[in-house]
Amino acid sequence: MSLTLRTISREQHLAYIQSLQSASHCQVPAWADVKSEWRSENLGWFDREGRLVGAGLVLYRQLPKVKRYLAYLPEGPVINWYAPNLEEWLKPMLAHLKQHGAFSVKMGPPVVIRRWDAPAIKRGIQDTDVMRLREVEATHIEPRAFEVADRLRKMGWQQGEDAGAGFGDVQPRYVYQVPLEGRTLEEVHKGFNQLWRRNIKKADKAGVEVVQGGYEHLAEWQRLYEITAERDHFRPRPLSYFQRMWQTLNGEDPNRMRLYFAMHEGEAVAAATMLIVGGHVWYSYGASANHKREVRPSNAMQWRMLQDAYALGASVYDLRGISDSLDETDHLFGLIQFKVGTGGQAAEYLGEWDFPLNKLLHKALDMYMSRR
């Protein structure tokens, strides 16, 4: 199979994404508008017959003072990662990006290596000798993923430094997912642990109501999000970011992004954003007030979002990033504990990989990033 690569239009890119069962929300054309501080390009791979068989959204960030760029394909490109001739897919991409001024390429293969179901994680949490998820025996291992990693190394790709949680500007390496395919909603609900089921009931009894919001409700979302940022010590994104996200993603597909609120006695006490690409649905950002936590608005909201994802025909409900720490004293431990309650599974992706096209500039960028 001989492949050619060239720049494609956003329309071609979107049509290709829409022909698939799912792809990462970071690889839809509109994501380039969300990340407006980067320059972007849509890449297409064509087979011998001229059919589009792969696509990638590339974000270019300029190095300070030099006309050279870091080329980044978040959770992409969308290609056949298990192809035995992976080199034939990636070599033309590197050549193309180098031509366009890239000194280094970063990508995140959407390839899962291992999965752990909820009981396995719970056993890991109870075992005092176990501190990390990767020390727990996986429920499922994907041997082909190791072959992909080997091929990448042989080609000169280097695994990124995000071996742990993978939070920050890089995409998360460990995520938590609830599989929906081939299950009834009743089975999904039964998969929740006792505490989750009790909390959903408690919220219902207390009169918590979950509603969908629109663009005009983003200011209310921002209020709750900033309360959460202060409580959990992270830097919040500005309201303009979420407004841009809403306009660009829903401009591309009217059902790409949703906003949910958990209401109690007429007041919004929790909120979340949801992203949809084909059969993959993500819980993207979450927020909650400091009070009324006893009415369990977050559990009620997640259950409603899960039901809506199911109604959309989604095959997976993705709760996004978790840390791989199972240490109860770790500040991120509460996150995995909350998500494990859904009875889903933790998944480990291959992580992000770098290809230094110019070793000197690549090293300079590394030093610059480590000082920040």
Side-chain angles (χ1 to χ4, degrees), residues 178 192 196 200 210 260 262 270-274 282-287 296-309 317-319 338-339 342:
V178 180
F192 288 166
W196 261 81
I200 290 167
V210 181
Y260 286 84
T273 61
M274 180 161 124
W282 291 266
Y283 155 54
S284 170
Y285 285 88
R296 305 298 176 195
S298 295
N299 298 87
M301 188 169 61
Q302 288 296 341
W303 175 227
R304 163 71 193 273
M305 287 163 75
L306 246 161
Q307 287 172 293
D308 285 4
Y317 179 71
D318 197 321
L319 289 135
F338 177 74
K339 294 177 182 182
T342 61

Side-chain angles (χ1 to χ4, degrees), residues 171-233:
Q171 298 305 320
R173 178 154 179 187
Y174 294 90
V175 300
Y176 206 85
Q177 300 174 337
V178 180
L180 301 177
E181 208 169 358
R183 300 170 78 193
T184 65
L185 259 182
E186 201 181 20
E187 284 166 343
V188 173
H189 187 265
K190 263 196 192 133
F192 288 166
N193 71 12
Q194 239 176 333
L195 185 65
W196 261 81
R197 291 203 300 268
R198 213 169 37 233
N199 286 345
I200 290 167
K201 218 182 232 167
K202 200 183 261 186
D204 193 37
K205 243 190 188 144
V208 171
E209 197 192 347
V210 181
V211 296
Q212 262 184 263
Y215 178 81
E216 67 280 13
H217 303 111
L218 283 168
E220 179 59 8
W221 147 264
Q222 191 70 17
R223 183 185 71 79
L224 285 167
Y225 173 62
E226 284 177 13
I227 289 169
T228 308
E230 198 176 327
R231 183 178 66 234
D232 295 346
H233 312 294

Side-chain angles (χ1 to χ4, degrees), residues 287-302:
S288 60
N290 291 331
H291 62 299
K292 294 203 170 178
R293 307 189 115 199
E294 71 285 354
V295 298
R296 305 298 176 195
S298 295
N299 298 87
M301 188 169 61
Q302 288 296 341

Side-chain angles (χ1 to χ4, degrees), residues 116-128 130 132-133 136-137 139 176 190-197 326 328 333 336-346:
W116 295 263
D117 62 17
I121 300 166
K122 278 180 205 149
R123 284 195 299 274
I125 291 170
Q126 283 156 5
D127 186 340
T128 49
V130 170
R132 304 227 161 253
L133 189 57
V136 177
E137 196 180 333
T139 318
Y176 206 85
K190 263 196 192 133
F192 288 166
N193 71 12
Q194 239 176 333
L195 185 65
W196 261 81
R197 291 203 300 268
L326 299 183
E328 295 188 22
F333 176 73
I336 191 166
Q337 207 174 24
F338 177 74
K339 294 177 182 182
V340 165
T342 61
Q345 47 188 219

Side-chain angles (χ1 to χ4, degrees), residues 20-36:
L20 305 172
Q21 216 282 310
S22 74
S24 168
H25 59 85
C26 302
Q27 281 294 305
V28 299
W31 194 251
D33 302 323
V34 177
K35 299 292 173 190
S36 56

Side-chain angles (χ1 to χ4, degrees), residues 19 35 40 63 65 69 75 101 125 127-128 160 169 186 192 234 242 248 261-263 266 308 325 333 337 341 367-368:
S19 75
K35 299 292 173 190
S40 69
L63 256 190
K65 303 190 181 73
Y69 302 86
E75 298 186 8
I125 291 170
D127 186 340
T128 49
D169 280 341
E186 201 181 20
F192 288 166
F234 65 85
F242 294 102
T248 58
F261 290 99
M263 310 291 296
D308 285 4
S325 173
F333 176 73
Q337 207 174 24
M367 281 161 70
Y368 169 73

